[in-house]
Each structure stands twice: as structure tokens, then as C-alpha cells.
């Protein structure tokens, strides 16, 4: 297991990523001052995003089932826990975007190679819990 996003496990047989890029920001809004540099104030964490770039190869995975499962997870809008294979827990993330590039086609149009890019964005605990409740229909 390379990483798990909720119930989806990234691996050679589902969808393997070759690159993980993480960007974390912190918010420091500023206010203009006469005769001095702007005053800045730390107001808390900003966005925490993870970009995964990878490959699905038909001869290894047997198809695009893993990417279809990820697309359904994105359609739900629910936040999911993200953890790597070493056991590090990153927090609750939502799938914000997914790009696919298909190439090396068979005669029937099936792609033997699908490169993908995923953008996962961390959500705070209260928003994650509310999204999960809504997605599971538990907010009656």
C-alpha cells in the first residue's frame, strides 16, 4: 500500500502514483500603515493541498476501475481520511480535481496507459464531519 484515501488504496494494482507534491500555506493578512511597512498578523493555517501524479497501466491493473472509484468518491463530496503506507495520517481531505490523459490505444479504443493527476485539499474537522454526515444521509 502506497497510500489510502478513505477506502481507496493506492497501489500498483489500483492506481500507482509516481509523484506526491504537498503545499501548505499560512494566512498573514496585512494592513497598510502610513510611513511604515504593512502590518501583518498571523490568523491561522491556510490551505493544505496534495497533488498526486501517477499512472494506470492496463497490463498491470486490468483497467481503469481504480480511477472510476476515485471519480465516484469525488462526486460524493465527502471528506475522507488520508494516510500513507508508513502509517502517517495527514487528516481529512476532499478530492478537488482529477485529470486523466489516455494514450497507447488498442484496436477497440481501450487505452493501455492512463496518466492521472489528483488534487486533494484538507478540510477542517467540523467541515469534514458535516460533509460526511450529508454524504451518508444522516442529517435527518
Amino acid at each position: 500500500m502506497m497510500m489510502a484515501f478513505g477506502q481507496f488504496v493506492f497501489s500498483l494494482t489500483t492506481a500507482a502514483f509516481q509523484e506526491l507534491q504537498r503545499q501548505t500555506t499560512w494566512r498573514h493578512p496585512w494592513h497598510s500603515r502610513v510611513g511604515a511597512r504593512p502590518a501583518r498578523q498571523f490568523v491561522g493555517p491556510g490551505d493544505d493541498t496534495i497533488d498526486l501524479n501517477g499512472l494506470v497501466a492496463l497490463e498491470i491493473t486490468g483497467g481503469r476501475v481504480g480511477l472510476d472509484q476515485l471519480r465516484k468518491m469525488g462526486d460524493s463530496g465527502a471528506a475522507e481520511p488520508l494516510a500513507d503506507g508508513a502509517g502517517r495520517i495527514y487528516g481529512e481531505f476532499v478530492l478537488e480535481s482529477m485529470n486523466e490523459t489516455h494514450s497507447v490505444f488498442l484496436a477497440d479504443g481501450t487505452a493501455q496507459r492512463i496518466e492521472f493527476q489528483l488534487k486533494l485539499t484538507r478540510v477542517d474537522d467540523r467541515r469534514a464531519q458535516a460533509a460526511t454526515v450529508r454524504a451518508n444521509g444522516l442529517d435527518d
Side-chain angles (χ1 to χ4, degrees):
M1 175 184 97
M2 299 172 73
M3 183 170 274
F5 176 53
Q7 296 297 314
F8 184 83
V9 176
F10 289 92
S11 69
L12 291 177
T13 58
T14 58
F17 59 88
Q18 286 94 23
E19 184 177 83
L20 181 152
Q21 182 179 23
R22 185 177 188 184
Q23 181 179 25
T24 304
T25 61
W26 294 269
R27 296 177 299 138
H28 294 270
W30 57 272
H31 303 282
S32 295
R33 297 187 299 180
V34 176
R37 287 191 177 94
R40 295 191 175 270
Q41 180 181 3
F42 176 69
V43 295
D47 285 334
D48 189 2
T49 61
I50 293 179
D51 294 321
L52 298 174
N53 298 312
L55 172 70
V56 172
L58 181 65
E59 64 273 4
I60 296 172
T61 65
R64 53 170 294 118
V65 175
L67 294 178
D68 291 340
Q69 184 179 356
L70 284 166
R71 191 171 298 281
K72 286 179 185 176
M73 291 173 73
D75 287 344
S76 79
E80 301 285 351
L82 183 68
D84 64 22
R88 180 177 182 190
I89 299 171
Y90 291 84
E92 298 280 326
F93 282 75
V94 293
L95 179 55
E96 192 168 303
S97 67
M98 179 175 174
N99 297 313
E100 299 176 25
T101 302
H102 298 240
S103 61
V104 189
F105 295 96
L106 298 174
D108 67 355
T110 302
Q112 290 185 292
R113 178 182 173 96
I114 304 171
E115 294 180 45
F116 65 88
Q117 299 85 35
L118 303 175
K119 182 174 184 175
L120 305 172
T121 302
R122 187 173 180 173
V123 294
D124 66 23
D125 294 333
R126 286 170 284 166
R127 283 183 25 207
Q129 290 169 355
T132 301
V133 166
R134 283 192 305 275
N136 294 322
L138 302 173
D139 59 346
D140 296 328

